[in-house]
Amino acid sequence: MTEPNIIKPVNVNKELLKVEDLYVEYSSNLEIVKAVNGVSFSLKQGETLGLVGETGAGKTTIARSILRILPDPPAKVKKGEVFFKGTNLSTLSEPQMRKIRGHEISMIFQDPMTALNPVLTIGEQISEAVRVHKNMNRKEAEIEGKKALELVGISEERYYEYPHQFSGGMKQRVVIAIALACNPELLIADEPTTALDVTIQAQVLNLIYELQQKNKMAMILITHDFGIVAETCDNVAVVYAGEIVEYGSLRQIFKEPAHPYTVGLFGAIPSMTGDVERLHNIDGMPCDPTHLPEGCKFAPRCKYASAECNKPISAVDLENGHQCRCIKAKDILMGKNE
Amino acid sequence: MPDVSGTMEMNKSLLAREARQAKIKAFKEGWHRLCQNKVAVIGLIVIIVLLFIAIFAPVLTPYSYDKIDPLNAYQAPSSAHVFGTDGLGRDLLSRVLYGTRYSLAIAFSAQAVGIVFGILLGALAGFFEGLLSDVIMRFCDIFQAIPSTLMAILVSQTLGAGFISTTIALAVTTTPSITRIVRALILQIRNQEFIEAGRAINCSNGRLIAFHILPNIIPQIIISFTGGLSGKFIDSAGLSYLGLGIQPPTPEWGALLTDGKAYLRYYPNLVLAPGLFIMIAALAFNLVGDGLRDALDPRMRD
Amino acid sequence: MERYLIKRVLWLIPVVLGVAILIFSIMYFVPGDPAQIILGASATQDEILNMRHQMGLDKPYIVQLGVFLSDTFLKLDFGKSYVNHVPVFSALMERFPRTALIAVVCCIFQIIVGIPMGITAATHQNRWQDRTCVVLAMIGISIPSFWLAQMLILLFAFKLNWLPAFGITSWNSYIMPCFCSMLMGVANQTRFTRTYMLEQIRSDYIVTARAKGLSERTVIYKHALPNTLIPLITGIGGDFGAALGGTVIIENVFSIPGIGQYMVNAIGNRDYPVVRGSVVFLSIMFSLIMLLVDLAYAFIDPRIKAQYVAGSRKMVMKKGAHSNA
């Protein structure tokens, strides 16, 4: 079915992506929005990282900065670097970066209804990715394109149809097909199921997971849904106000959340077992990205906050790679265990 | 049993107040954005200058605009007559400056009348779906099937030359597109939830229209008003040129062009000066109109 | 697809009829007695009454309207000029090619100059290319075309003697009229292309295209441009109508014997059949062009082929939103 895949030795210790101290701002005439404020994380081959957080936390900005597809007039990467397989992406020229986009790193977007070009057939939109990266002619690319369609469960006769002829879930499958057409090593999925019906969500998510396992891809899954995280991710990074406030393995984050924000998020999830009077929501409003506080960005809403929290915070190391950006983390964890 | 209606009233007025405050903030932001747009500001200054000239014309003009002096006819520009004189010895500069009144007045009234009727018709078509709406839209189709210049000529010919007839002729060309825009906006707004919420609390139609619907169409109206204004200067001049519109001896810019058109070869200043003013006015309004559009339309934000 | 075509063509008929009725009705109220105009000031009352009877002017409005419509559409008889009794229709036919030439050249230049300028401006937003194009476009829409015509005549005909000032003596008689006619259209096209292109560039599907690693050229020309053309084409149709209207005055300035000059002279002479016939004729031409525009949509936008019912309504709304009120 497929041409012989070059088998990539899955070396679990090999680092695929490293984001180092990323700062991104959106500036307009009136104000500056600090979208990303010092984000660092890394990803190994085949690993799945969940980026969790509220809308506006900066997750999409982080994702787009990796691929360098931020809208350039308003957005600017102020500081920080992204390394992919050892190469510093921030120093690559545009033509070099283009070779990587869609080929070694691919992205799936949130809203399938607007992610496809309405005037081109979906076949064309899939095969152009192949043609650009694999130097094939039209006929060969068409074959590859049809294969990609089959992979996502769409019959190849629909190759010549237009996006408006597909439902939302099917459109998202097409988007996935486009992203995976060139067998990328890293897939960034930006809330891939948020805009879909609940019944379709599971299907699409399964599809992504299957294909990821099959192709041994690493994945960054951006979502605000912990349920999805629980099913798919190896590690989790909780994002708030453009910072990673907590990072750890799936188990660490779910069983021992240390940051008050993470704890709050879990508290807001309805429980299938047990009777709860009211859901605990987190007090206060998400902070204004144009006027961020100096110290801990969550302090204004935090019930554990004290005066020390208003000074710049660095990450606290908890055990086994579990990190938290809260000076009260250890106390919180101990308090829970009592 | 908690007092639901009381809470709803309070929530409704809270929501309405928040909505109003958000609107005011949006206007302030829009104004700020406009001021940052350098060319729009230049346009605004020019418009203020023109308004100033129009209001204080009698004081500013060196000679009276209708002072006839046949001995000094067709003078070239000189220190005595900055723009020269016309066929009857009248000072061109004075006539052009005084003509600002007429030209601005015609453009503004034509646009205003056109927009008012457009809002009325558009609101009717938007609110009351069914036969009335269809009939209004068909009328718009038919009106717009006639190129606007021709329509203006047609109406102008029927009504004759003069201020009011020209106003009507030009207004007629504006109304159909405003009707469409207003209707589209109202259809959009009608279906939004806050209107349903208002109805659910028994808000009268009148209140709905005044407090909720109209404020939402104001930005677009402002944009349409200023955007179309520049065309009115040019169109009214065109009508005058054809012998319709406003005719000499009224010193409206278009009429001045008509006055001078036969003498283009020998006394180009007669045509140059009024035309330049038309162009400057049109440009100023275009710049401001564009600036307003950029400032008030959130999609164009950078 | 065929159903869409047929539906659009059928739609044309009531509109054209409506246009004819509207124009007839407006001109019904024009002051002055046609009979008197034809017979001249020295005619007697009896002669005038007779003439009115002959011309059917003593019949009620509805009957006159009916006669007008059946004459115009069934017999293609647009009446005769009051002044020289030449059938209006044949005069229109003779003059139409000249007017059409100017309007067509205007449209062509809109496409080959306006659209590329707009694309350049949009793809270099806020840099010098953008600012230059926008400034030029702004000036272009602010200049009264007939004034520009006079300025050009002054320079190129009177002072430099390069081009003929009046009439159509050779092919270069058309240069200045075409230029004056196209200026506003090209300027508008630049602005609208820029606006629509900027909108498209900010769309999600463009992000998808960039994320695929496509070259910027492909992204703009293969992805953004076709989507930009959709609203743009309406504009080209609309500008053709504006060009038709504008040539009326320009022909007057350059004394070009097209429909415009025919009509304007008739206004001065109160030769109402000519005015009426010209406007009806030009409006029909305009409607036909808009029909072509709507048909062009179906070729570019695959959604239209599928949704012709919703599509024609969307287009009616788009027309309203597009024009400069």
Side-chain angles (χ1 to χ4, degrees):
Chain A
M1 180 182 105
T2 50
E3 57 183 357
N5 260 329
I6 300 169
I7 298 173
K8 300 176 191 154
V10 178
N11 182 349
V12 294
N13 289 321
K14 189 167 174 200
E15 194 175 72
L16 187 66
L17 178 78
K18 181 154 100 158
V19 173
E20 222 168 72
D21 211 26
L22 187 64
Y23 283 83
V24 180
E25 270 176 17
Y26 287 87
S27 54
S28 73
N29 280 329
L30 296 172
E31 56 197 10
I32 296 183
V33 173
K34 297 206 163 101
V36 180
N37 303 302
V39 161
S40 306
F41 62 87
S42 64
L43 199 63
K44 300 200 180 70
Q45 255 180 352
E47 193 179 278
T48 307
L49 170 69
L51 274 185
V52 193
E54 315 172 342
T55 316
K59 321 186 288 286
T60 301
T61 311
I62 296 173
R64 294 196 184 186
S65 318
I66 297 174
L67 268 183
R68 279 171 56 183
I69 50 173
L70 289 168
D72 195 283
K76 268 225 136 37
V77 175
K78 285 309 232 199
K79 203 177 152 199
E81 283 157 337
V82 178
F83 292 89
F84 181 70
K85 294 203 295 197
T87 317
N88 187 344
L89 294 185
S90 326
T91 58
L92 290 183
S93 69
E94 254 309 287
Q96 288 170 319
M97 196 65 214
R98 273 188 224 131
K99 291 213 183 80
I100 296 191
R101 288 187 199 127
H103 187 190
E104 302 192 62
I105 308 180
S106 270
M107 192 154 163
I108 303 176
F109 299 92
Q110 176 174 343
D111 189 358
M113 303 306 281
T114 52
L116 295 171
N117 188 337
V119 301
L120 297 176
T121 61
I122 55 135
E124 177 61 32
Q125 298 188 52
I126 300 178
S127 69
E128 68 179 345
V130 175
R131 281 206 312 277
V132 153
H133 294 297
K134 299 228 159 130
N135 232 332
M136 296 182 179
N137 63 28
R138 261 186 199 275
K139 281 233 151 52
E140 293 166 344
E142 193 174 307
I143 299 174
E144 276 301 304
K146 289 186 175 158
K147 277 190 217 152
L149 275 183
E150 299 245 32
L151 263 177
V152 297
I154 298 182
S155 113
E156 59 171 53
E157 293 147 358
R158 306 199 73 181
Y159 184 83
Y160 303 101
E161 288 183 11
Y162 289 92
H164 69 265
Q165 295 169 278
F166 290 76
S167 70
M170 300 293 263
K171 282 212 241 294
Q172 193 64 310
R173 288 169 188 257
V174 172
V175 171
I176 296 170
I178 294 177
L180 298 181
C182 296
N183 257 317
E185 290 194 54
L186 170 62
L187 176 67
I188 305 178
D190 188 354
E191 308 217 33
T193 54
T194 304
L196 301 173
D197 283 341
V198 166
T199 46
I200 308 289
Q201 274 185 15
Q203 279 177 26
V204 172
L205 213 51
N206 278 334
L207 178 62
I208 296 178
Y209 190 62
E210 262 173 42
L211 293 172
Q212 184 207 4
Q213 295 298 304
K214 191 193 292 192
N215 295 345
K216 313 261 192 305
M217 279 185 315
M219 182 161 75
I220 297 179
L221 180 59
I222 298 177
T223 180
H224 55 259
D225 186 338
F226 270 116
I228 295 178
V229 171
E231 288 186 44
T232 52
C233 298
D234 300 317
N235 293 319
V236 181
V238 179
V239 183
Y240 183 76
E243 285 176 337
I244 294 186
V245 294
E246 189 165 356
Y247 176 92
S249 71
L250 186 63
R251 190 187 170 71
Q252 287 166 338
I253 297 286
F254 272 66
K255 289 289 183 201
E256 300 164 343
H259 194 281
Y261 178 58
T262 320
V263 174
L265 285 177
F266 279 110
I269 298 177
S271 167
M272 293 280 287
T273 62
D275 220 354
V276 179
E277 267 281 315
R278 292 184 79 123
L279 292 176
H280 295 276
N281 59 349
I282 307 176
D283 283 333
M285 301 281 290
C287 53
D288 178 0
T290 54
H291 295 103
L292 290 173
E294 266 289 305
C296 172
K297 315 248 181 322
F298 186 68
R301 304 169 76 177
C302 181
K303 60 181 181 187
Y304 302 105
S306 67
E308 307 161 289
C309 297
N310 292 329
K311 300 196 206 104
I313 315 270
S314 52
V316 167
D317 275 315
L318 306 166
E319 31 176 273
N320 281 341
H322 184 182
Q323 292 180 314
C324 179
R325 203 180 276 265
C326 177
I327 48 184
K328 313 269 179 184
K330 295 206 169 109
D331 303 331
I332 297 173
L333 275 182
M334 277 201 307
K336 271 194 68 187
N337 287 336
E338 267 160 20
Chain B
M1 184 65 188
D3 180 9
V4 179
S5 63
T7 322
M8 280 177 85
E9 267 298 326
M10 199 171 66
N11 283 342
K12 182 191 82 157
S13 65
L14 259 170
L15 275 173
R17 185 148 37 98
E18 269 177 26
R20 266 200 297 279
Q21 282 171 343
K23 285 254 141 38
I24 296 179
K25 181 165 180 244
F27 268 115
K28 283 208 186 116
E29 273 178 18
W31 175 250
H32 197 154
R33 261 202 297 277
L34 182 65
C35 292
Q36 305 226 310
N37 184 343
K38 285 176 279 200
V39 275
V41 172
I42 295 179
L44 208 51
I45 295 179
V46 171
I47 294 177
I48 295 179
V49 168
L50 286 173
L51 280 172
F52 183 80
I53 294 177
I55 298 175
F56 294 105
V59 175
L60 292 169
T61 52
Y63 304 80
S64 173
Y65 73 94
D66 53 3
K67 178 162 177 278
I68 298 183
D69 185 6
L71 294 174
N72 275 323
Y74 296 122
Q75 294 266 326
S78 64
S79 52
H81 297 276
V82 181
F83 284 168
T85 60
D86 70 357
L88 292 175
R90 296 176 285 203
D91 175 42
L92 193 58
L93 174 66
S94 306
R95 284 176 72 70
V96 170
L97 288 181
Y98 203 84
T100 311
R101 288 192 164 183
Y102 293 96
S103 302
L104 283 182
I106 262 259
F108 271 87
S109 10
Q111 190 72 342
V113 170
I115 287 198
V116 163
F117 277 96
I119 296 180
L120 275 170
L121 288 174
L124 283 175
F127 259 121
F128 305 110
E129 284 196 284
L131 190 59
L132 181 61
S133 177
D134 281 343
V135 165
I136 292 181
M137 293 320 284
R138 287 319 127 238
F139 260 96
C140 284
D141 280 346
I142 294 175
F143 267 81
Q144 289 184 300
I146 306 175
S148 59
T149 315
L150 298 182
M151 179 60 116
I153 292 177
L154 212 57
V155 175
S156 206
Q157 168 163 59
T158 310
L159 299 174
F163 191 91
I164 297 190
S165 24
T166 312
T167 302
I168 298 178
L170 292 175
V172 165
T173 60
T174 305
T175 304
S177 37
I178 301 286
T179 306
R180 271 196 218 282
I181 293 175
V182 169
R183 173 179 176 268
L185 275 174
I186 290 194
L187 284 179
Q188 212 180 39
I189 298 176
R190 259 179 66 177
N191 293 328
Q192 286 184 358
E193 282 150 4
F194 71 91
I195 297 289
E196 278 192 43
R199 283 227 178 84
I201 326 177
N202 229 352
C203 219
S204 76
N205 266 342
R207 234 184 125 80
L208 275 179
I209 296 177
F211 288 102
H212 297 291
I213 299 193
L214 280 186
N216 278 303
I217 68 174
I218 287 184
Q220 181 60 48
I221 297 293
I222 296 179
I223 294 172
S224 296
F225 184 85
T226 40
L229 210 47
S230 64
K232 297 289 170 285
F233 289 101
I234 299 179
D235 287 341
S236 77
L239 284 177
S240 303
Y241 188 89
L242 294 177
L244 303 162
I246 307 210
Q247 290 296 306
T250 312
E252 193 260 346
W253 294 334
L256 291 175
L257 278 181
T258 310
D259 249 351
K261 72 178 170 184
Y263 306 98
L264 177 64
R265 186 163 204 155
Y266 305 106
Y267 311 110
N269 54 316
L270 294 177
V271 170
L272 203 55
L276 216 52
F277 269 72
I278 297 177
M279 184 175 126
I280 292 174
L283 188 58
F285 279 101
N286 271 323
L287 290 175
V288 173
D290 257 17
L292 276 174
R293 190 165 16 94
D294 285 351
L296 294 175
D297 181 357
R299 287 179 306 160
M300 287 305 289
R301 250 185 257 196
D302 250 351
Chain C
M1 177 68 170
E2 292 73 28
R3 287 182 69 179
Y4 174 75
L5 274 161
I6 295 178
K7 194 175 192 314
R8 275 309 282 125
V9 171
L10 283 180
W11 179 245
L12 193 61
I13 299 178
V15 171
V16 167
L17 271 177
V19 165
I21 296 176
L22 181 63
I23 294 174
F24 178 85
S25 309
I26 293 180
M27 296 218 61
Y28 189 74
F29 295 102
V30 158
D33 188 346
Q36 179 139 55
I37 296 173
I38 296 184
L39 294 174
S42 54
T44 67
Q45 273 295 78
D46 279 337
E47 285 171 346
I48 293 179
L49 279 173
N50 266 334
M51 182 55 101
R52 284 180 67 83
H53 185 76
Q54 248 179 22
M55 293 173 68
L57 291 175
D58 47 358
K59 303 230 174 56
Y61 165 77
I62 289 290
V63 176
Q64 289 195 42
L65 177 61
V67 169
F68 168 71
L69 288 177
S70 70
D71 276 349
T72 307
F73 291 108
L74 298 178
K75 303 187 212 156
L76 280 184
D77 174 9
F78 281 36
K80 296 199 177 62
S81 156
Y82 287 163
V83 169
N84 55 17
H85 306 288
V86 172
V88 172
F89 189 74
S90 52
L92 287 174
M93 282 285 114
E94 189 199 317
R95 291 164 169 270
F96 179 60
R98 298 169 199 135
T99 306
L101 177 61
I102 299 180
V104 165
V105 168
C106 181
C107 283
I108 293 179
F109 271 84
Q110 264 175 247
I111 298 176
I112 63 178
V113 176
I115 294 185
M117 267 180 77
I119 297 178
T120 311
T123 51
H124 295 94
Q125 196 185 11
N126 290 330
R127 301 214 285 273
W128 69 265
Q129 296 96 328
D130 184 21
R131 296 201 191 284
T132 317
C133 288
V134 168
V135 164
L136 287 177
M138 291 304 255
I139 295 181
I141 58 173
S142 309
I143 300 186
S145 51
F146 55 94
W147 178 71
L148 178 67
Q150 292 179 307
M151 296 293 107
L152 290 181
I153 291 180
L154 190 60
L155 180 61
F156 290 105
F158 295 155
K159 299 266 190 248
L160 293 175
N161 230 329
W162 287 351
L163 295 170
F166 307 111
I168 36 171
T169 45
S170 66
W171 67 270
N172 60 2
S173 310
Y174 282 102
I175 295 183
M176 287 197 288
C178 285
F179 182 77
C180 296
S181 195
M182 75 170 74
L183 192 65
M184 192 175 279
V186 169
N188 260 334
Q189 201 66 3
T190 304
R191 291 186 342 137
F192 286 126
T193 305
R194 176 182 180 274
T195 304
Y196 295 135
M197 182 61 92
L198 282 176
E199 234 176 76
Q200 294 303 317
I201 289 182
R202 293 195 188 329
S203 300
D204 285 346
Y205 70 86
I206 294 288
V207 182
T208 308
R210 289 211 175 110
K212 277 187 227 173
L214 299 176
S215 73
E216 194 60 19
R217 213 186 147 75
T218 312
V219 169
I220 298 288
Y221 288 99
K222 183 176 168 196
H223 284 264
L225 187 58
N227 282 286
T228 312
L229 285 180
I230 295 172
L232 220 49
I233 285 189
T234 325
I236 295 183
D239 281 333
F240 183 83
L244 278 181
T247 42
V248 166
I249 306 184
I250 293 194
E251 283 176 20
N252 199 271
V253 178
F254 288 100
S255 300
I256 296 200
I259 296 187
Q261 196 208 40
Y262 188 48
M263 192 177 131
V264 169
N265 290 342
I267 292 175
N269 296 331
R270 295 164 72 190
D271 194 350
Y272 300 127
V274 173
V275 180
R276 198 167 52 203
S278 306
V279 179
V280 170
F281 185 80
L282 288 177
S283 303
I284 296 179
M285 286 299 118
F286 181 39
S287 301
L288 283 173
I289 296 292
M290 291 309 284
L291 175 68
L292 283 177
V293 161
D294 283 341
L295 295 181
Y297 269 127
F299 282 104
I300 296 193
D301 191 345
R303 291 167 291 188
I304 301 295
K305 292 181 192 165
Q307 300 174 24
Y308 64 86
V309 173
S312 59
R313 269 222 193 138
K314 261 189 239 148
M315 262 170 282
V316 164
M317 278 213 216
K318 267 188 211 163
K319 267 188 225 162
H322 175 86
S323 57
N324 240 348

